[in-house]
Amino acid sequence: METLLQVLFNGLSVGAVYALFALGYTLVFSVLGVINFAHGAIFTLGAYFTYLLIGGAVGANGLLAGLQLPFALPFWLALPLAGVAAAALALMVERIAFRPLRDRGSDPLLALITSLGAGVILVNLIQLLVGAESYSIPVGTLGSLPAALSIAGAKVRSVQVILLAIAGLLLAALSLWIDGSRSGKALQAVSEDPITAQLLGINSTRMIQIAFGISGFLAGMTGGLVGLSVSIAGPYFGIGYGLKGLGVLVLGGLGSVPGAVLGGLIIGLAEACVPADLSGYKDAVSFGLLFLVLLIRPQGLLGRPQSSKV
Amino acid sequence: MSLLQVENLGVRFGGLQALKSVDLEVQQGEIFGLLGPNGAGKTTLFNVISGLTAASSGSVRWRGACLDGLSSHRIARLGIARTFQNLRLFSSMSCLENVLVGLHQHGRQPSLAALLQTHSFRRREAQLHQQALELLALFQLEASSHQNAASLSYGDRRRLEMARALASRPQLLLLDEPAAGMNPAEKDELQELIRRIRNKFKLTVLIIEHHVPLMLGLCDRLAVLNFGQRIALGSPEQVRRDPAVIEAYLGVGA
Amino acid sequence: MDAGLLEQMLLGALLGLSVYLPLRCGQLSLATPGFFAIGGTVAALLSTREPALAGSGSTYPITSVLLEMAIAAMLTGVLAMGLGRVVLRLRGIYLAIATIALVEILRVVTLNLEFTGGALGIFGIPQPFDSAAGYASFTLALLALICWLCDRLEKTRPGRAMAAIRDDDLAAASQGINTADTKLLAFVLSALVAGITGVVAAHFFNSWNAKLGNFDASITTLAFVVFGGSRTWLGPVFGGLLLTALPELLRPVGDLRLIVFGVVILVGPLFFPQGVVTPELLKTLKRRIRLPPTPTAQGGKP
Ligand SMILES: Nc1ncnc2c1ncn2[C@@H]1O[C@H](COP(=O)(O)OP(=O)(O)OP(=O)(O)O)[C@@H](O)[C@H]1O
Ligand SMILES: [Mg+2]
């Protein structure tokens, strides 16, 4: 029987993944005011990088069939490295899909399409290189951990504990950075008022790169964690999370960091509360919730209302 | 009864009291001026009258009827048109099309006639074009009628906004800093132009403008706002001598 | 060209028009695949479950298809009117995501309901035409009709109001335009186009399931409009035709085709920020071929 604690735990760990996902969107949104539709693809790549770095072998269907790195890193080292690789990729996406539009002063809405294009390219590149099959990151890479822990009578999978711990660390580090560091404060300034920030000498191109880098790093790490706790279900597996992440982002309020976390946890917990015989409706629950919140609070839970000054 | 009555009007934006118990009455046919330093609440008053900003207290009456809670398109349809301090033209459209949008309320035609392009439909459309061109001509914009609105000079854009506002055949015209960005020659002409359209269209005009000589020469009556409060009201001569006004202007200027 | 591909392209153009209508009014609604799915489900259910519609000939009667289209239009129209009132209060990206949420809710519900065939969907939808060419001619006629309606719309008062709202909705309201009703009109028209397109598609695809209206479809149809251009109806038609054909035309490059598709939608907006087809381009073309220009709703030069 599922105890309340177990439901809570499941909800929290799924919610943490959504929150990390939405944070990636929010960072970019807060500096550019647009959504990066390639974010899901970067998350997916993070999962594949992790898989390769722990010494996983490519299956038989891609151009890289049978490829295996000559070394196998432990998971706790492979994960941040995959995050770094994903960050590099996110910077590349910024360079090819966002910066050219900014340089030409085009309508920011176009970035929705160009970033979608970048996402399509990345996802299909994965398919071309490593095939469409699913991969899983064996729990064995974690060393000799028991598969499940017993906490206060509830059985909890140890990968979930690890996922929650790492997600918590990432969230804490991110909020420390935003509130405590010069560049974090500059990021806040840019998101509050880009023009004034520029006048105050904040280099917005640099801030944009930082936002993309961090969002890519978070996406890559999240991808690896989900790969570990669920599995990597083919090149398209990031799309579903990407969509949920969007919902979480808007539920919490665009551009709000605490909003992204709150939104993630709410949707994660709401999904965990859906009884098993109705599990088919899980996705409808989260989007229904989002829809209701938008009707009552159009700016999301913690977002600032949009004002149009005359 | 006065045409427009503003009673005890207050507007709050969070902690900021942009308007504080303002009373005004505008009579049919007059040119009424609003003066006041930056941030005094003049534009906010326009926004409340035209339904873009909700009042926190007090009310606005049009011919005795309360405008509270009416959306801006309804207020426009009652016969109140406005221009915007920071120019809000339809920038992807030509000048002619901007004025045609202003004619929106008067261009209604049966859908079927519009689909089939019947004779009467085309005749009516041609009439609308003609009216739009006449309005453009009144503001000396006929030569640029097919030019994109965004490509006009500042002064021309101000005049185009006036033409667009007039297209809806208003009884009250609200002009928010119509002379801003105009050169001195244009400013001189503007005074004459506003008088002319007032007489031609039997308008009442409520005008905000920082250019004091223009206001003293143009307006029948003036009110002065400072920090959201009305500090003076009267003829140009009275207002010019009002010690509170002198202090407000010198206090800010010095 | 293969008539089956042509049919898909025509369906793409219709969907492009459906996304275009609200966007011309400045509203980024991505609800099109949802209404498309409703239309398809209506057609699939009626044509497989309702014997009275089947007729006596060897092919399914066209009149029954027309009847399905009318029913789908009624259903999507009423639904859009109710939903539009609510969602159109949202702006920009919030509207986009609320409509994506609606589409997702609809997809999940259809996926779980018995009578819509669950995850497998509905099979053996009867065929009103015995060849793809028949479908293509029918859809071409439908597309022509809708293009004509869009053209009339753009050149008359409601079209001018829509363009005004897109440029500046506060200023539009100050000219006496009922912005809420005008946006709702665009949203409902968009739903109608998507709904009747769904009916045709269901017959053409022969089977129907919930996957046909998903998030991917929302974004792809948006790409049709952004790529083609959103200031005249020719833009989404061009974008829909070309971007639907592209992956198929690229079949010779095999696995690379979707990558090339990605490159096209990545690079397209860089070179054509207004979309490929703009009113200015049409005017230049008209001048080239020395046709007398007709007044359009958008930036006209003689
Ligand atoms: N939508 C709004 N939200 C918050 N504050 C506002 C808003 N609109 C105006 N204000 C504030 O209200 C005050 C009055 O503004 P308003 O625009 O009415 O001044 P004004 O008299 O027109 O000044 P100016 O001569 O500079 O145009 C200002 O301090 C302004 O910053
Ligand atoms: Mg002002």
Side-chain angles (χ1 to χ4, degrees), chain B residues 39 41-44 85 176-177 208 210:
Chain B
K42 307 178 294 293
T43 300
T44 304
Q85 177 175 1
D176 198 345
E177 303 200 11
I208 297 174
H210 283 295

PDB file of all heavy atoms in Angstrom, chain B residues 39 41-44 85 176-177 208 210, ligand 2:
ATOM      1  N   GLY B  39       4.460  64.588 -14.402  1.00  0.00           N
ATOM      2  CA  GLY B  39       4.020  63.683 -13.347  1.00  0.00           C
ATOM      3  C   GLY B  39       2.869  64.218 -12.524  1.00  0.00           C
ATOM      4  O   GLY B  39       2.509  63.646 -11.508  1.00  0.00           O
ATOM      5  N   GLY B  41      -0.232  64.249 -13.241  1.00  0.00           N
ATOM      6  CA  GLY B  41      -1.431  63.412 -13.327  1.00  0.00           C
ATOM      7  C   GLY B  41      -2.336  63.778 -14.491  1.00  0.00           C
ATOM      8  O   GLY B  41      -3.471  63.303 -14.564  1.00  0.00           O
ATOM      9  N   LYS B  42      -1.837  64.601 -15.420  1.00  0.00           N
ATOM     10  CA  LYS B  42      -2.675  65.066 -16.535  1.00  0.00           C
ATOM     11  C   LYS B  42      -3.072  63.899 -17.447  1.00  0.00           C
ATOM     12  O   LYS B  42      -4.259  63.709 -17.760  1.00  0.00           O
ATOM     13  CB  LYS B  42      -1.915  66.127 -17.354  1.00  0.00           C
ATOM     14  CG  LYS B  42      -1.388  67.275 -16.511  1.00  0.00           C
ATOM     15  CD  LYS B  42      -0.612  68.285 -17.325  1.00  0.00           C
ATOM     16  CE  LYS B  42       0.679  67.773 -17.929  1.00  0.00           C
ATOM     17  NZ  LYS B  42       1.733  67.432 -16.975  1.00  0.00           N
ATOM     18  N   THR B  43      -2.082  63.116 -17.858  1.00  0.00           N
ATOM     19  CA  THR B  43      -2.377  61.988 -18.739  1.00  0.00           C
ATOM     20  C   THR B  43      -3.269  60.972 -18.030  1.00  0.00           C
ATOM     21  O   THR B  43      -4.179  60.400 -18.623  1.00  0.00           O
ATOM     22  CB  THR B  43      -1.067  61.320 -19.200  1.00  0.00           C
ATOM     23  OG1 THR B  43      -0.298  62.294 -19.911  1.00  0.00           O
ATOM     24  CG2 THR B  43      -1.338  60.146 -20.109  1.00  0.00           C
ATOM     25  N   THR B  44      -3.023  60.806 -16.732  1.00  0.00           N
ATOM     26  CA  THR B  44      -3.855  59.886 -15.970  1.00  0.00           C
ATOM     27  C   THR B  44      -5.322  60.316 -16.022  1.00  0.00           C
ATOM     28  O   THR B  44      -6.216  59.488 -16.180  1.00  0.00           O
ATOM     29  CB  THR B  44      -3.367  59.822 -14.510  1.00  0.00           C
ATOM     30  OG1 THR B  44      -1.990  59.460 -14.516  1.00  0.00           O
ATOM     31  CG2 THR B  44      -4.156  58.823 -13.703  1.00  0.00           C
ATOM     32  N   GLN B  85      -0.077  60.926 -25.793  1.00  0.00           N
ATOM     33  CA  GLN B  85       1.159  61.677 -25.591  1.00  0.00           C
ATOM     34  C   GLN B  85       2.335  61.007 -26.296  1.00  0.00           C
ATOM     35  O   GLN B  85       3.129  61.659 -26.962  1.00  0.00           O
ATOM     36  CB  GLN B  85       1.441  61.769 -24.084  1.00  0.00           C
ATOM     37  CG  GLN B  85       2.735  62.461 -23.744  1.00  0.00           C
ATOM     38  CD  GLN B  85       2.890  62.617 -22.243  1.00  0.00           C
ATOM     39  OE1 GLN B  85       2.041  62.200 -21.466  1.00  0.00           O
ATOM     40  NE2 GLN B  85       3.968  63.235 -21.838  1.00  0.00           N
ATOM     41  N   ASP B 176      -3.468  65.129 -26.030  1.00  0.00           N
ATOM     42  CA  ASP B 176      -2.407  65.006 -25.030  1.00  0.00           C
ATOM     43  C   ASP B 176      -1.077  65.465 -25.634  1.00  0.00           C
ATOM     44  O   ASP B 176      -0.451  64.746 -26.398  1.00  0.00           O
ATOM     45  CB  ASP B 176      -2.314  63.550 -24.530  1.00  0.00           C
ATOM     46  CG  ASP B 176      -1.551  63.447 -23.214  1.00  0.00           C
ATOM     47  OD1 ASP B 176      -0.867  64.422 -22.853  1.00  0.00           O
ATOM     48  OD2 ASP B 176      -1.649  62.392 -22.556  1.00  0.00           O
ATOM     49  N   GLU B 177      -0.684  66.660 -25.281  1.00  0.00           N
ATOM     50  CA  GLU B 177       0.560  67.269 -25.751  1.00  0.00           C
ATOM     51  C   GLU B 177       0.704  67.215 -27.265  1.00  0.00           C
ATOM     52  O   GLU B 177       1.664  66.646 -27.792  1.00  0.00           O
ATOM     53  CB  GLU B 177       1.772  66.609 -25.066  1.00  0.00           C
ATOM     54  CG  GLU B 177       1.660  66.715 -23.550  1.00  0.00           C
ATOM     55  CD  GLU B 177       2.990  66.530 -22.837  1.00  0.00           C
ATOM     56  OE1 GLU B 177       4.034  66.515 -23.503  1.00  0.00           O
ATOM     57  OE2 GLU B 177       2.959  66.422 -21.603  1.00  0.00           O
ATOM     58  N   ILE B 208      -3.964  69.033 -23.175  1.00  0.00           N
ATOM     59  CA  ILE B 208      -2.809  69.073 -22.276  1.00  0.00           C
ATOM     60  C   ILE B 208      -1.646  69.603 -23.099  1.00  0.00           C
ATOM     61  O   ILE B 208      -1.431  69.134 -24.221  1.00  0.00           O
ATOM     62  CB  ILE B 208      -2.432  67.655 -21.799  1.00  0.00           C
ATOM     63  CG1 ILE B 208      -3.561  67.036 -20.983  1.00  0.00           C
ATOM     64  CG2 ILE B 208      -1.144  67.687 -20.997  1.00  0.00           C
ATOM     65  CD1 ILE B 208      -3.296  65.582 -20.608  1.00  0.00           C
ATOM     66  N   HIS B 210       2.479  71.559 -22.548  1.00  0.00           N
ATOM     67  CA  HIS B 210       3.444  72.239 -21.683  1.00  0.00           C
ATOM     68  C   HIS B 210       3.793  73.623 -22.208  1.00  0.00           C
ATOM     69  O   HIS B 210       4.344  74.440 -21.477  1.00  0.00           O
ATOM     70  CB  HIS B 210       4.728  71.402 -21.576  1.00  0.00           C
ATOM     71  CG  HIS B 210       4.585  70.229 -20.662  1.00  0.00           C
ATOM     72  ND1 HIS B 210       4.359  70.367 -19.316  1.00  0.00           N
ATOM     73  CD2 HIS B 210       4.624  68.905 -20.895  1.00  0.00           C
ATOM     74  CE1 HIS B 210       4.268  69.166 -18.750  1.00  0.00           C
ATOM     75  NE2 HIS B 210       4.415  68.255 -19.696  1.00  0.00           N
TER      76      HIS B 210
HETATM   77 MG    MG D   2       1.351  63.074 -19.699  1.00  0.00          MG
END
